[in-house]
Amino acid sequence: MWRFLRTIKMAAFYNPLVLGTYNIAQMWWAGVGSNMLSGAKWKTAVTAMRERNDFYKEASLNGLFSKPFGYTRRGLLDSMNRMTKTAPELHGLMVATLPAHWLKSLYQWSWNTAWSFDEAMRLVTYQHLIEGGFDSAEAAKLAASYMGDYGNVPQGTRVFLNKLLFTPTFKIAMGRAQWEMVKGFSRYAADVAKGRESSLLTKQHAVSAIWAFGGLLAFHYMMVGLGFEDEHFGW
């Protein structure tokens, strides 16, 4: 059963653009804003990824590309190969009609493309935060928290919750990031009330909370404007 669930999760990467759509929202939280359209920043990111230069290595060493311990892609691919041999109908018509090695190659391409987009977006966010006054270590850690600090989730927690929830590591990472925004906004409000200066990190989290809330509100009114009805639990 666990192998079957792993394969279903793997299918979420059939479209490499899905992960990028989440990243855009997370870059919005970070306040990247118009820098998302900065050709110079994207060029720096792509060059760093291609050359693995000092800029890339420093960001990586400081934890920007946070990954969970125990890389699971090989396990997912092995599960897929086993299932195509023993029960191809579980994968639907596509799996039943294409050789397993073709599916494996397509999945590998989709996976690599999705995470390449993720790396580029992390690098753009990292540059934005450095320009905002953070040093490399602070910017990398903060950008990772916005984009998903997956390596900061204990392995035992991931293994256990993976049996109960769909993509729990993402939920935990995002929950932590949003909680830091809430705490930062509260600290900033308290500092303003007491007339004292807030730290750069507190200000960043407070601004992120405003960006996140504002984004949700804008999305809500956009959906209502498009004709969708408001419900208590989502759209």
Side-chain angles (χ1 to χ4, degrees):
M1 181 63 180
W2 168 230
R3 289 176 179 174
F4 175 71
L5 289 176
R6 284 199 305 176
T7 304
I8 295 299
K9 291 183 181 184
M10 179 181 65
F13 280 92
Y14 79 96
N15 183 349
L17 298 179
V18 171
L19 182 60
T21 59
Y22 284 105
N23 286 358
I24 290 172
Q26 289 152 232
M27 291 173 77
W28 176 271
W29 296 350
V32 176
S34 61
N35 277 328
M36 289 189 203
L37 305 177
S38 171
K41 285 185 173 55
W42 286 106
K43 182 180 179 181
T44 298
V46 172
T47 300
M49 292 168 63
R50 184 178 65 248
E51 298 178 356
R52 294 296 195 267
N53 55 23
D54 290 341
F55 178 76
Y56 182 93
K57 291 174 183 176
E58 183 177 17
S60 180
L61 286 172
N62 283 321
L64 178 62
F65 312 117
S66 178
K67 297 288 191 301
F69 178 78
Y71 199 45
T72 59
R73 180 181 65 180
R74 177 57 51 195
L76 291 173
L77 291 174
D78 289 343
S79 293
M80 179 174 157
N81 285 332
R82 285 194 297 270
M83 292 188 73
T84 54
K85 292 176 182 177
T86 59
E89 68 277 3
L90 293 176
H91 293 288
L93 183 61
M94 182 178 180
V95 175
T97 55
L98 288 176
H101 71 274
W102 273 97
L103 289 174
K104 179 178 176 180
S105 297
L106 286 171
Y107 174 72
Q108 177 115 22
W109 172 84
S110 183
W111 175 286
N112 290 341
T113 302
W115 288 106
S116 292
F117 284 149
D118 180 78
E119 278 200 2
M121 290 175 166
R122 285 173 186 256
L123 282 164
V124 171
T125 305
Y126 172 70
Q127 293 174 71
H128 168 75
L129 292 170
I130 287 177
E131 288 181 355
F134 293 98
D135 62 31
S136 176
E138 293 169 334
K141 182 178 179 180
L142 191 53
S145 72
Y146 285 124
M147 309 302 283
D149 192 358
Y150 305 120
N152 198 30
V153 179
Q155 185 184 12
T157 302
R158 289 190 295 103
V159 171
F160 175 73
L161 290 179
N162 262 310
K163 299 177 181 180
L164 305 174
L165 302 171
F166 192 80
T167 62
T169 308
F170 177 78
K171 294 178 176 64
I172 292 170
M174 292 300 96
R176 281 179 171 174
Q178 292 166 9
W179 178 236
E180 288 301 322
M181 294 179 204
V182 172
K183 289 196 298 182
F185 185 84
S186 298
R187 289 193 191 109
Y188 182 74
D191 288 343
V192 170
K194 294 178 181 179
R196 63 191 180 198
E197 183 67 18
S198 296
S199 69
L200 182 61
L201 182 61
T202 295
K203 290 178 181 177
Q204 175 65 35
H205 281 143
V207 170
S208 294
I210 294 169
W211 277 107
F213 182 73
L216 284 174
L217 243 116
F219 184 73
H220 167 78
Y221 286 114
M222 180 189 74
M223 297 299 287
V224 171
L226 290 172
F228 289 86
E229 294 183 4
D230 189 14
E231 296 181 359
H232 291 292
F233 300 100
W235 288 281

